[in-house]
């Protein structure tokens, strides 16, 4: 039975992990996402569902524990914040190279370096362009509410197992720390060993007489085999791009101008849109839900309708590059952002729309 609760975003992610039948969480505390680990420790799911919850000795250890669990076909996840995700990059690249499903949560804080503990969206490049080495992609989901923080846990695992690829929830300190009403899904049991063998026949579940050994690795010293493997990954990424683009359009039917924003910035832009429309400015909002694959096609289509686009991000301009590539020069695209943990206000976004796009 579904349940309605008032929850903090980080707590909602942790509760959703228990309810979707996750097998293991491996993490290390860092602000502003420490509540994920703290909530799981307090709930003790290892006494109810059997889910393992472990505070590793470091972020590097945590991501490699995910690597080990995922190799066995288990639903494993980790969470961290920007500097911690940077430490996990080697392991994430290994997991992508080995084609293992897992869920990684990044509750972004301001950088570079240790930066601040306040919200930011400065990890867009790291998440969507591959923060680690080699040709690989993560499926990246950007929640804009506590409800989506909860819903995207099961969605992330679903996509990760469908494509044997790591998925990331790219949140930020605003969504992670704020409290909202959330409808929690019914608790699903963890997969049995028989179900794991059926769902993930590639997993290291023990050698049986009817098949060869399953070997999990991201290493191949034969260049011709490695090239074939990388090309196979590329075909998988093209399939994901064709089938898994998700986005939301608000007030776009009559829009003459367009905000493009994800996560908490999209929430702020909804208020900016209301203010602008009260002034007679017909502005809409396109919110990418998947940051990779990116919703390029709907943006290209809207480029033939609107007079200008303004991307709003809590960084110096990262997603704006993908928006400009998507519209292919059909319409003017400008960026507005705040950094250092400063959150833009709805009024200043409208002012920028008026000065940089309408009057620019």
């Amino acid at each position: 039975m579904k349940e309605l609760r008032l929850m903090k975003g980080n707590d909602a992610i942790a509760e959703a992990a228990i309810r979707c039948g996750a097998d293991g969480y491996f993490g290390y505390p860092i602000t502003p996402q420490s509540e994920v680990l703290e909530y799981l420790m307090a709930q003790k799911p290892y006494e109810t569902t059997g889910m393992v919850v472990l505070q590793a000795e470091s972020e590097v250890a945590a991501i490699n524990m995910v690597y080990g669990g995922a190799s066995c076909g288990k639903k494993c996840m980790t969470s961290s914040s920007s500097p911690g995700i940077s430490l996990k990059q080697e392991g994430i690249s290994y997991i992508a190279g080995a084609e293992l499903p897992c869920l990684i949560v990044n509750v972004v804080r301001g950088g570079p370096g240790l930066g601040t503990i306040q919200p930011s969206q400065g990890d867009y490049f790291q998440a969507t362009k591959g923060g680690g080495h080699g040709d690989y992609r993560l499926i990246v989901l950007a929640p804009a509410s506590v409800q989506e923080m909860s819903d995207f846990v099961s969605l992330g695992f679903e996509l990760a197992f469908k494509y044997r690829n790591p998925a990331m929830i790219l949140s930020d300190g605003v969504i992670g720390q704020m409290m909202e009403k959330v409808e929690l899904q019914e608790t699903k049991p963890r997969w049995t060993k028989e179900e794991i063998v059926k769902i993930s026949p590639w997993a290291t579940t023990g050698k049986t007489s009817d098949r060869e050994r399953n070997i999990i690795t991201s290493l191949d010293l034969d260049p011709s085999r490695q090239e074939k493997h990388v090309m196979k990954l590329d075909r998988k990424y093209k399939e994901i791009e064709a089938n898994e683009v998700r986005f939301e359009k608000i007030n776009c039917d009559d829009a003459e101008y367009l905000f493009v924003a994800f996560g908490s910035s999209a929430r702020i832009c909804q208020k900016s849109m209301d203010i602008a429309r009260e002034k007679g400015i017909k502005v809409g909002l396109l919110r990418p839900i998947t940051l990779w694959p990116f919703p390029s096609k709907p943006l290209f289509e809207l480029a033939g309708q609107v007079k200008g686009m303004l991307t709003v991000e809590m960084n110096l301009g990262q997603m704006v590059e993908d928006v400009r590539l998507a519209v292919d020069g059909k319409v003017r695209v400008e960026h507005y952002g705040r950094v250092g943990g400063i959150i833009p206000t709805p009024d200043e976004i409208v002012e920028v729309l008026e000065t940089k796009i309408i009057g620019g």
Side-chain angles (χ1 to χ4, degrees):
M1 184 176 177
K2 293 184 177 180
E3 182 182 352
L4 202 61
R5 282 196 206 170
L6 182 65
M7 297 188 81
K8 185 182 280 193
N10 288 338
D11 293 347
I13 277 187
E15 179 65 28
I18 299 170
R19 290 180 178 240
C20 80
D23 295 297
Y25 170 91
F26 308 98
Y28 189 80
I30 179 172
T31 305
Q33 68 79 50
S34 297
E35 292 89 351
V36 179
L37 175 59
E38 293 168 358
Y39 184 94
L40 288 169
M41 285 294 189
Q43 294 299 311
K44 300 180 181 178
Y46 37 88
E47 294 180 354
T48 52
T49 71
M51 175 185 178
V52 172
V53 180
L54 194 149
Q55 178 180 326
E57 63 268 39
S58 69
E59 288 88 348
V60 175
I63 192 64
N64 283 290
M65 290 174 184
V66 171
Y67 190 173
S71 299
C72 303
K74 301 285 188 180
K75 278 186 182 178
C76 292
M77 65 179 289
T78 185
S79 67
S80 191
S81 182
S82 309
I85 295 294
S86 296
L87 289 169
K88 295 177 189 287
Q89 289 303 323
E90 181 188 54
I92 292 172
S93 177
Y94 286 8
I95 291 170
E99 290 194 272
L100 295 176
C102 69
L103 183 64
I104 303 153
V105 179
N106 184 0
V107 184
V108 182
R109 62 190 244 182
L114 290 173
T116 71
I117 61 171
Q118 280 76 34
S120 168
Q121 294 178 322
D123 294 359
Y124 179 90
F125 280 158
Q126 184 190 58
T128 62
K129 310 300 181 186
H133 56 280
D135 290 300
Y136 77 92
R137 292 285 194 177
L138 302 179
I139 299 166
V140 184
L141 300 165
S145 66
V146 175
Q147 183 67 58
E148 288 187 341
M149 290 284 265
S150 173
D151 294 344
F152 287 1
V153 173
S154 56
L155 176 61
F157 273 124
E158 177 189 326
L159 294 173
F161 275 86
K162 181 177 180 180
Y163 294 101
R164 283 188 63 181
N165 202 72
M168 173 176 280
I169 295 176
L170 189 72
S171 180
D172 61 61
V174 174
I175 308 289
Q177 293 294 323
M178 73 180 187
M179 296 188 78
E180 284 185 325
K181 180 177 64 177
V182 56
E183 186 178 70
L184 298 168
Q185 300 296 311
E186 293 182 37
T187 301
K188 299 176 182 175
R190 292 169 51 233
W191 289 333
T192 64
K193 182 177 179 180
E194 290 73 25
E195 288 173 320
I196 290 173
V197 170
K198 184 177 179 181
I199 294 166
S200 305
W202 46 264
T204 54
T205 50
K207 172 76 172 66
T208 55
S209 58
D210 60 343
R211 63 166 172 79
E212 297 296 318
R213 295 183 187 280
N214 287 340
I215 298 173
I216 301 294
T217 181
S218 65
L219 173 68
D220 194 330
L221 298 181
D222 183 315
S224 61
R225 281 203 306 263
Q226 180 64 12
E227 184 181 51
K228 287 180 181 175
H229 177 63
V230 174
M231 297 311 293
K232 177 190 167 196
L233 294 180
D234 188 54
R235 289 193 294 276
K236 176 173 71 175
Y237 299 146
K238 286 182 169 58
E239 183 184 351
I240 297 171
E241 285 185 300
N243 298 319
E244 304 300 346
V245 172
R246 288 168 168 78
F247 60 92
E248 180 183 22
K249 290 198 297 186
I250 303 175
N251 289 339
C252 287
D253 289 345
D254 66 343
E256 296 177 351
Y257 302 94
L258 188 72
F259 292 133
V260 186
F262 66 95
S264 53
S265 290
R267 294 280 293 261
I268 299 165
C269 281
Q270 288 189 52
K271 180 62 179 176
S272 302
M273 191 168 54
D274 293 341
I275 295 170
R277 282 186 171 262
E278 286 174 3
K279 292 183 171 186
I281 303 169
K282 294 180 178 178
V283 59
L285 168 67
L286 187 140
R287 175 173 75 95
I289 294 174
T290 49
L291 300 182
W292 193 88
F294 192 70
S296 299
K297 185 178 177 183
L299 278 166
F300 182 78
E301 291 169 352
L302 283 166
Q305 171 188 327
V306 301
K307 300 174 184 175
M309 296 184 181
L310 181 68
T311 74
V312 180
E313 311 168 59
M314 289 190 288
N315 57 46
L316 288 180
Q318 299 189 16
M319 183 184 69
V320 65
E321 294 188 5
D322 287 330
V323 176
R324 285 176 174 148
L325 283 170
V327 304
D328 196 23
K330 285 178 68 177
V331 71
R332 182 179 178 186
V333 179
E334 296 290 345
H335 164 267
Y336 179 67
R338 300 295 299 269
V339 294
I342 305 296
I343 300 169
T345 68
D347 286 318
E348 68 187 65
I349 291 170
V350 173
E351 184 179 345
V352 172
L353 175 70
E354 292 175 312
T355 55
K356 291 183 76 172
I357 299 292
I358 299 174

